């Protein structure tokens, strides 16, 4: 059908296929995640942002792929971490990498900024949810824009927001309270933000707490750190202390 | 011979495209002002996403939109409105008047009648005579011009409160700015006590001839 005919006053830019949803399809796919990853954590510190995510991809309850990194260095200014369906993350990663390549080939010295990528991702995910074919992923976008650290989340519906501490999945229940406590205490006692080292220690502690109780978590993980003039990813491993396990009572 | 094994109908798995992210809006219009306020809590279920997400969107120097419900729809809808307003400005070299924005919003919402924007809207502004005006919407675009309204997760708590204070006001006894602001604050403090989806902070915009005044009030954070 001609796009002109489909135009209705409400459509700003005419998006073809906007009314074509999965309800007409016989086969519906991608409605449930298959190869999944668990929580991601992100915290803002005084001069940048740190993200943490383990490297396990589960297939149901099987710990399927144990070395699947999911912190992506987009450019010298942005890192992105993903949780949820791993293949959807890989798809987005390929598209983002292509965007960055296209941008680089312009050779104008201008690169993408974190808020731009955050908004772009929210539009991509919202568009897919509106087609009822969601990308089953949650993304954290971290970076520094105009010397101000930025941390934002987008979920599979396109729900986007920014905050100083974000955690998804089980992390939202187990790690987020610890992160909020650390940040609030620092603000109340010293009227300042966490330092880089404090932020990293906080994330390490949170990953350990998650490892003890999140059955889909893993002891190998990565921390990505972005500051005004550096971006790095560290590979880390937990040293869990299972001696404490015997102190847990009531589950026998 | 047909060798295809019939595995039956494809399993109907359900993906839920809507989320309820909470948040409330209160707005009151007066003779020469309009006030619109929202809380700043963004949540889903028992989880607070963030404590500092305002749901007010300034559309021009004399109109502000309050938008709650499904946050992803809110983001989409407000982006479209803002783009449309820019197009209008570039086409006509005029900023769109609130009554026109009100109609635009209704049309936009109805354009998705059969896959609605799950959003409750309140549009506040100053009309061409400089008087406060207020439009309240349902998710599919029904629009009504009102003098005061409450919407969102605590709409049902705050609307009767506003009714009792403002329901039988007459033109001889108009609501003042100070009174309106204190009603807004009281409505939100009351809602914050009983509704887990409303809390943290209230941001308000008072729209007047000489500009938009913004303020913040603290609410319960638990």
């Amino acid at each position: 059908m001609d796009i002109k005919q489909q135009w209705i006053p409400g459509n700003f830019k005419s998006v073809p296929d906007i009314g074509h949803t999965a309800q007409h399809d016989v086969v519906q796919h991608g409605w449930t995640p298959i190869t999944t990853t668990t929580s991601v954590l992100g915290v803002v510190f005084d001069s940048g942002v740190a993200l943490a995510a383990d490297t396990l991809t589960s297939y149901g309850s099987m710990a399927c792929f144990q070395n699947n990194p999911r912190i992506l260095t987009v450019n010298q200014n942005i890192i992105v971490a993903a949780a949820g369906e791993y293949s959807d993350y890989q798809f987005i990663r390929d598209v983002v990498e292509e965007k960055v390549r296209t941008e680089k080939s312009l050779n104008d010295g201008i690169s993408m900024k974190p808020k731009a990528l955050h908004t772009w991702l929210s539009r991509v995910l919202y568009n897919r949810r509106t087609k009822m074919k969601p990308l089953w992923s949650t993304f954290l976008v971290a970076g520094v824009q105009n010397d101000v650290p930025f941390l934002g989340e987008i979920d599979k519906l396109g729900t986007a927001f920014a905050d100083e501490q974000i955690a998804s999945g089980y992390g939202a229940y187990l790690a987020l309270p610890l992160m909020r406590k650390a940040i609030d205490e620092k603000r109340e006692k010293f009227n300042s933000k966490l330092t880089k080292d404090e932020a990293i220690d906080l994330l390490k502690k949170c990953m350990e707490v998650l490892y003890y109780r999140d059955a889909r978590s893993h002891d190998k993980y990565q921390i990505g750190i972005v500051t005004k003039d550096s971006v790095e990813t560290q590979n880390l491993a937990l040293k869990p202390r299972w001696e404490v396990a015997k102190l847990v009572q009531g589950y026998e | 011979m047909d060798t295809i094994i019939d595995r039956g109908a494809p399993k109907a798995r359900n993906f839920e495209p809507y989320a309820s992210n909470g948040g409330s809006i209160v707005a009151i219009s007066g003779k020469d002002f309009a006030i619109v306020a929202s809380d700043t809590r963004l949540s889903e279920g028992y989880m607070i996403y963030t404590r500092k997400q305002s749901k007010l969107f300034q559309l021009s120097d004399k109109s502000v939109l309050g938008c709650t419900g499904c946050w992803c729809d809110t983001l989409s809808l407000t982006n479209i409105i803002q783009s449309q307003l820019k197009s209008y400005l570039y086409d006509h070299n005029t900023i769109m008047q609130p009554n026109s924005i009100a109609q635009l919003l209704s049309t936009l919402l109805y354009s998705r009648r059969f896959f609605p924007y799950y959003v409750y809207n309140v549009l506040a502004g100053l009309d061409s005579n400089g008087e406060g005006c207020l439009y309240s919407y349902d998710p599919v675009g029904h629009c009504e011009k009102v003098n005061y309204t409450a919407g969102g997760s605590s709409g049902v708590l705050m609307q009767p409160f506003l009714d009792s204070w403002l329901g039988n006001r007459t033109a001889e006894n108009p609501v003042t700015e100070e009174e309106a602001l204190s009603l807004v604050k009281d409505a939100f403090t009351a809602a914050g006590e009983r509704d887990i989806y409303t809390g943290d902070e209230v941001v308000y915009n008072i729209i007047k001839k000489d500009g938009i005044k913004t303020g913040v009030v603290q609410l319960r954070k638990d």
Side-chain angles (χ1 to χ4, degrees):
Chain A
M1 197 200 274
D2 182 28
I3 289 172
K4 265 271 156 56
Q5 281 181 289
Q6 288 186 359
W7 191 83
I8 39 175
N11 275 358
F12 173 59
K13 279 183 182 166
S14 178
V15 180
D17 271 354
I18 196 154
H20 177 83
T21 63
Q23 65 187 351
H24 304 298
D25 295 354
V26 179
V27 184
Q28 298 170 339
H29 52 86
W31 284 24
T32 189
I34 307 292
T35 47
T36 59
T37 56
T38 186
S39 341
V40 271
L41 314 176
V43 63
V44 169
F45 55 90
D46 51 9
S47 58
V49 190
L51 302 178
D54 66 24
T55 57
L56 176 70
T57 300
S58 306
Y59 180 80
S61 61
M62 179 171 66
C64 203
F65 308 108
Q66 308 203 0
N67 188 26
N68 270 355
R70 52 194 170 101
I71 294 184
L72 170 68
T73 305
V74 177
N75 58 28
Q76 285 307 299
N77 208 16
I78 315 174
I79 49 174
V80 167
E85 171 66 43
Y86 196 75
S87 59
D88 287 344
Y89 159 68
Q90 288 176 311
F91 168 69
I92 287 291
R93 184 188 62 194
D94 292 351
V95 181
V96 169
E97 281 174 348
E98 168 120 16
K99 265 168 79 73
V100 172
R101 268 198 301 278
T102 314
E103 213 169 57
K104 237 180 210 162
S105 59
L106 292 174
N107 201 26
D108 57 4
I110 299 170
S111 60
M112 199 176 1
K113 291 173 180 171
K115 284 180 188 170
L117 184 63
H118 183 246
T119 308
W120 181 83
L121 272 171
S122 84
R123 281 7 278 156
V124 171
L125 297 189
Y126 182 82
N127 197 250
R128 288 290 295 257
R129 86 101 218 193
T130 308
K131 288 177 178 161
M132 290 295 271
K133 287 178 178 171
L135 293 167
W136 210 286
S137 289
T138 304
F139 291 95
L140 296 196
V141 179
V144 180
Q145 184 158 343
N146 302 331
D147 294 341
V148 181
F150 171 84
L151 172 64
E153 178 183 323
I154 314 102
D155 79 358
K156 62 181 179 297
L157 301 180
T159 312
F161 59 91
D163 208 343
E164 298 213 333
Q165 69 287 314
I166 300 178
S168 79
Y170 264 98
Y173 296 97
L174 296 172
L176 196 54
L178 298 173
M179 288 153 64
R180 284 189 173 147
K181 190 174 173 219
I183 288 171
D184 289 350
E185 274 181 3
K186 180 86 181 183
R187 188 184 292 123
E188 277 157 27
K189 277 187 193 157
F190 304 101
N191 193 27
S192 68
K193 289 187 173 181
L194 300 177
T195 63
K196 182 176 165 182
D197 291 338
E198 283 169 339
I200 292 168
D201 287 345
L202 176 63
L203 287 180
K204 285 178 178 171
K205 180 71 199 163
C206 290
M207 292 307 279
E208 187 180 337
V209 168
L210 278 168
Y211 184 56
Y212 288 135
R213 278 296 176 182
D214 178 3
R216 303 285 167 269
S217 64
H218 193 45
D219 56 351
K220 311 280 188 301
Y221 67 105
Q222 286 187 312
I223 287 186
I225 302 147
V226 57
T227 59
K228 194 185 158 199
D229 34 35
S230 77
V231 37
E232 56 168 320
T233 312
Q234 301 173 358
N235 290 298
L236 298 154
L238 288 169
K239 292 173 205 71
R241 297 184 305 122
W242 288 113
E243 311 92 86
V244 296
K246 68 174 189 295
L247 300 172
V248 179
Q249 292 184 351
Y251 293 91
E252 289 84 10
Chain B
M1 200 181 105
D2 194 6
T3 53
I4 296 169
I5 303 161
D6 181 15
R7 295 178 195 279
K11 270 186 195 162
R13 304 189 189 98
N14 48 331
F15 163 66
E16 176 55 55
Y18 292 115
S20 180
N21 299 113
S24 305
I25 307 276
V26 169
I28 299 170
S29 70
K31 209 166 161 21
D32 59 346
F33 73 94
I35 177 167
V36 55
S38 85
D39 69 322
T40 62
R41 178 174 293 181
L42 189 75
S43 51
E44 188 176 353
Y46 290 125
M47 149 116 215
I48 295 172
Y49 280 145
T50 174
R51 298 185 193 278
K52 44 181 190 186
Q53 179 61 65
S54 163
K55 287 129 194 142
L56 301 181
F57 299 86
Q58 189 182 334
L59 300 179
S60 71
D61 56 349
K62 45 184 177 177
S63 52
V64 175
L65 176 67
C67 221
T68 68
C70 179
W71 185 244
C72 63
D73 281 337
T74 301
L75 287 174
S76 208
L77 184 67
T78 50
N79 267 321
I80 293 170
I81 295 172
Q82 276 161 345
S83 310
Q84 288 270 7
L85 292 182
K86 249 178 213 167
S87 292
Y88 183 96
L89 174 65
Y90 299 151
D91 287 349
H92 303 284
N93 199 23
T94 322
I95 292 168
M96 204 190 277
Q97 291 293 323
N99 58 336
S100 307
I101 302 178
Q103 179 56 48
L104 168 67
L105 181 54
S106 175
T107 313
L108 273 169
L109 289 165
Y110 197 79
S111 74
R112 284 268 295 263
R113 172 62 180 79
F114 298 108
F115 187 9
Y117 290 112
Y118 210 122
V119 170
Y120 295 90
N121 287 293
V122 175
L123 178 69
L126 288 187
D127 65 17
S128 44
N129 302 321
E131 291 171 16
C133 61
L134 215 58
Y135 300 87
S136 170
Y137 295 82
D138 76 354
V140 289
H142 167 257
C143 172
E144 188 182 5
K145 195 165 188 293
V146 291
N147 294 320
Y148 60 89
T149 186
S153 66
S154 284
V156 289
L157 273 78
M158 298 191 283
Q159 189 70 45
F161 169 76
L162 295 178
D163 286 337
S164 75
W165 280 92
L166 301 170
N168 41 24
R169 285 301 179 97
T170 53
E172 293 81 55
N173 183 22
V175 61
T176 63
E177 189 187 323
E178 293 72 30
E179 198 184 355
L181 181 56
S182 93
L183 281 173
V184 165
K185 287 177 182 171
D186 285 352
F188 271 106
T189 357
E193 296 288 328
R194 285 289 181 175
D195 176 17
I196 60 166
Y197 300 115
T198 298
D200 296 322
E201 282 174 359
V202 180
V203 282
Y204 59 85
N205 283 181
I206 303 174
I207 310 158
K208 298 186 79 172
K209 196 168 80 223
D210 44 346
I212 296 178
K213 198 165 76 188
T214 304
V216 179
V217 183
Q218 298 299 316
L219 284 181
R220 288 177 73 112
K221 313 241 182 284
D222 59 355

